[in-house]
Amino acid sequence: MKTDWSRATPIASSALPAELTTYLDAHRARDVDAAIACYTQDAVVTDDGHTYRGLEEIRTWLGRSASEYTFTTELTGAGRIDETHYDVVQHLEGDFPGGVVDLHYRFTMRGPLIAALHIAP
């Protein structure tokens, strides 16, 4: 069943699960080890039209995204569909093509860990 992200109810960023805050902080700090610890073994990430499956592929993606460009990230919004689906909007500015973008980080949780992350404008 496909998740209807348009049903997300806005929430304060302080209402995000602690595990998501830990991941977002680690991702912003480009701490690959701390970020990868937030995923399930069989997690799936989709970013920029590419899908990464499992911790090894996700670790490679995180390492590349942390070093490929210089950018700042600001959390500008958050929403919740249910206990397992969260949408976090982040504003990025940097030296990547276009220089500025607002991205949705759409998380599916399994227990305290991230089972899926889909990143898209």
Side-chain angles (χ1 to χ4, degrees), residues 6 9-12 31-33 41 46 57 66 83 89 94 97 103 119-121:
S6 69
T9 301
I11 60 172
D31 183 342
V32 173
D33 290 334
Q41 292 288 321
T46 303
E57 288 184 15
E83 294 294 320
V89 181
L103 295 175
I119 302 172

Side-chain angles (χ1 to χ4, degrees), residues 32-70:
V32 173
D33 290 334
I36 200 74
C38 297
Y39 284 96
T40 63
Q41 292 288 321
D42 60 345
V44 176
V45 172
T46 303
D47 181 30
D48 200 23
H50 300 283
T51 300
Y52 307 93
R53 299 179 189 284
L55 295 181
E56 185 177 325
E57 288 184 15
I58 294 171
R59 177 182 290 280
T60 300
W61 164 75
L62 283 167
R64 188 180 65 254
S65 67
S67 63
E68 192 170 22
Y69 299 106
T70 302

Side-chain angles (χ1 to χ4, degrees), residues 6 16 19 36 48 73 84 96 116:
S6 69
L16 289 169
E19 296 83 3
I36 200 74
D48 200 23
T73 305
T84 60
F96 52 86

Side-chain angles (χ1 to χ4, degrees), residues 68-84:
E68 192 170 22
Y69 299 106
T70 302
F71 57 90
T72 60
T73 305
E74 178 187 359
L75 192 150
T76 60
R80 178 179 155 216
I81 294 177
D82 54 35
E83 294 294 320
T84 60

